[in-house]
Amino acid sequence: MSSTSVQGEQFRPASRVASQKQDVCGYNPPKFITDAAKDALDKVDCNQYAPTKGRPRLKKAIAKAYSPLFGRDIDPDTEVVITTGANEGMLSAFMGFIEPGEEVVIFEPFFDQYISNIEMAGGVIRYVPLQPPKNGGSEVSSAGDWTVNMEALEKAINFKTKMIVLNTPHNPVGKIFSKSELQAIGDFCVQRNLIILSDEVYDRLPFTPFTRIATLSPAIAARTLTVGSAGKNFYCTGWRVGYLIGPASLIHYVAAAHTRICFSSVSPLQEAAAVGFEKAEEIGFWEQSRKEMKGKVERFCAVFDELGLPYSKPDGGYFVLANFARVKLPEDYKFPPHVAERPRDYKLAWFLIMEMGLAAIPPTEFYTKENMWMAEDWLRFAVCKEDDVLEGAKERLRGLRKYMS
């Protein structure tokens, strides 16, 4: 027995790091980005430490790209910080503002990395579930039909609450929070003096009108940190280039925490990302990307229409939730113990992998135990794949007919 396996048994990991997952795009970034990365490797300064807050060219490119979207001039020196992926950026925000015992409100279902990041900062999490569509199990619905219960949000707030986390477009639901929803949440945060961390990493893939909460009023903007991801924007998640935009009074402390966590982020890939932001609008990349992803969603969801399986049409991003209540798993099917004890969506996901050769994510993983019942008939699919992969997946899904009622 190796020493590695002995240590693995002897030293049990902390729960906050024991379950890690990732989503992977199925194709390369655009050529103008990869060419820029190759060029950056030939530059001496790009092969040395980047400034802790990010390479100036990238900060300027982000400020220029986002100033029109925010309706104001963004200062690249004081209102932008570059991080090692959006996830590390959010960890830096939690580390910069959350003291042990202070509370953070998140909406269920949630991106699972929020949990470990908040817990590492010593924070306590309060959960507010999005209400699923009433007829989501019997008919096609919109991701926008997953709604915010403002009364539940108010009940989750107390004197220890420091921050609210938003995710729009949302993973895994694909919901874009409406302007009225964001206004209500933003006004509430102003009244209760809360920081807003708005995770907008899928901001370049909206299929319906998209509002940024930081644009709603000066008072809301003054407490909002907007999270972005060059990796998501340009389909190069392995580059780990993220960024936060916000008022200097907030960005200062995010940058301070980022410096302690990883000092600085990968320099040549920051330079390449800068080229990406400089060229994307000019060459029509954002619109092309949005149209292509919307087309992938529509083509993939056609198989659910064909099978009569309800699904939630995403407002943006590249995830689709489909409802498998009509799929009847064989009563005598042998699931391994670690799957048999989990909710139905885990069994569905296991069955799809083993019998259909198709991978999907069980969304109860994005819920607390108390609210897993909301998602146990759903599965999440990622459509950020080549078209031939999606067509192959559709063909495999057609094999479910014999298991449907």
Side-chain angles (χ1 to χ4, degrees):
M1 183 178 293
S2 70
S3 60
T4 301
S5 62
V6 171
Q7 289 181 354
E9 294 172 2
Q10 183 178 358
F11 301 112
R12 186 169 60 185
S15 59
R16 60 180 173 267
V17 298
S19 178
Q20 305 290 307
K21 297 175 294 302
Q22 60 182 334
D23 300 303
V24 181
C25 289
Y27 38 82
N28 262 339
K31 188 173 184 297
F32 74 95
I33 289 288
T34 54
D35 285 348
K38 295 170 186 175
D39 291 342
L41 291 173
D42 289 329
K43 298 177 181 178
V44 174
D45 64 310
C46 288
N47 287 294
Q48 311 307 320
Y49 290 127
T52 57
K53 289 183 67 176
R55 291 187 65 81
R57 183 177 182 181
L58 178 55
K59 292 192 297 177
K60 289 177 182 177
I62 289 172
K64 184 178 180 180
Y66 279 89
S67 288
L69 304 177
F70 278 64
R72 67 177 183 85
D73 289 334
I74 295 170
D75 187 329
D77 294 322
T78 63
E79 297 182 316
V80 179
V81 61
I82 309 303
T83 59
T84 307
N87 189 41
E88 187 266 319
M90 288 185 279
L91 174 62
S92 295
F94 296 131
M95 289 292 190
F97 289 101
I98 303 301
E99 296 282 6
E102 290 185 326
E103 298 186 359
V104 180
V105 174
I106 67 174
F107 293 98
E108 293 184 79
F110 45 77
F111 176 50
D112 59 327
Q113 294 296 303
Y114 298 155
I115 309 305
S116 56
N117 286 352
I118 295 168
E119 290 176 344
M120 283 183 176
V124 176
I125 304 165
R126 299 296 179 191
Y127 301 92
V128 177
L130 295 175
Q131 302 301 308
K134 291 182 179 179
N135 298 322
S138 58
E139 61 187 41
V140 176
S141 58
S142 166
D145 294 334
W146 295 68
T147 57
V148 178
N149 184 327
M150 287 302 296
E151 289 185 8
L153 177 59
E154 291 183 20
K155 289 179 181 178
I157 305 297
N158 60 60
F159 71 96
K160 294 181 181 180
T161 310
K162 187 73 168 287
M163 184 183 292
I164 288 179
V165 179
L166 290 174
N167 182 201
T168 179
H170 187 278
N171 173 19
V173 172
K175 172 186 174 67
I176 288 180
F177 282 69
S178 69
K179 184 176 181 179
S180 60
E181 288 174 326
L182 294 175
Q183 188 72 61
I185 293 169
D187 290 342
F188 183 73
C189 290
V190 171
Q191 295 167 9
R192 303 300 291 265
N193 195 30
L194 305 178
I195 297 170
I196 301 167
L197 185 66
S198 188
D199 178 358
E200 299 178 9
V201 299
Y202 303 103
D203 69 329
R204 297 293 182 168
L205 295 172
F207 312 140
T208 61
F210 175 55
T211 299
R212 299 174 190 276
I213 193 169
T215 67
L216 294 179
S217 75
I220 293 173
R223 63 190 59 253
T224 300
L225 288 163
T226 299
V227 183
S229 168
K232 292 290 196 298
N233 288 338
F234 299 112
Y235 308 112
C236 51
T237 56
W239 289 17
R240 311 308 297 140
V241 178
Y243 49 93
L244 273 75
I245 300 170
S249 58
L250 297 182
I251 290 293
H252 174 79
Y253 296 104
V254 176
H258 164 71
T259 301
R260 300 276 73 81
I261 292 169
C262 62
F263 181 64
S264 69
S265 301
V266 181
S267 188
L269 300 183
Q270 288 190 50
E271 191 76 359
V275 173
F277 281 108
E278 291 166 356
K279 292 186 175 182
E281 187 71 39
E282 175 188 343
I283 66 175
F285 174 75
W286 301 131
E287 182 61 17
Q288 175 191 355
S289 182
R290 186 193 66 80
K291 286 183 177 179
E292 286 182 355
M293 196 60 67
K294 185 178 181 183
K296 289 179 184 292
V297 169
E298 291 173 348
R299 287 192 297 275
F300 184 70
C301 288
V303 74
F304 297 131
D305 290 325
E306 183 182 320
L307 294 172
L309 291 177
Y311 58 94
S312 182
K313 286 185 179 179
D315 297 331
Y318 45 65
F319 299 116
V320 175
L321 283 179
N323 190 290
F324 279 62
R326 288 189 58 200
V327 175
K328 305 303 179 186
L329 297 172
E331 293 183 4
D332 59 349
Y333 194 83
K334 300 297 183 183
F335 293 101
H338 71 280
V339 175
E341 66 186 16
R342 302 301 290 268
R344 184 173 186 269
D345 61 334
Y346 266 82
K347 299 180 181 69
L348 285 165
W350 179 270
F351 187 80
L352 280 187
I353 290 172
M354 301 305 293
E355 304 303 324
M356 306 290 169
L358 184 66
I361 296 294
T364 57
E365 185 68 11
F366 305 115
Y367 280 87
T368 55
K369 289 183 178 179
E370 292 77 12
N371 290 317
M372 285 182 177
W373 61 272
M374 294 183 177
E376 62 184 1
D377 286 325
W378 298 83
L379 288 175
R380 192 198 75 174
F381 296 86
V383 302
C384 48
K385 311 292 179 183
E386 294 285 6
D387 288 346
D388 61 333
V389 174
L390 295 178
E391 289 303 317
K394 289 164 63 176
E395 185 58 36
R396 295 180 185 207
L397 282 167
R398 293 184 180 104
L400 288 173
R401 283 194 178 96
K402 58 185 176 182
Y403 302 105
M404 294 176 59
S405 59

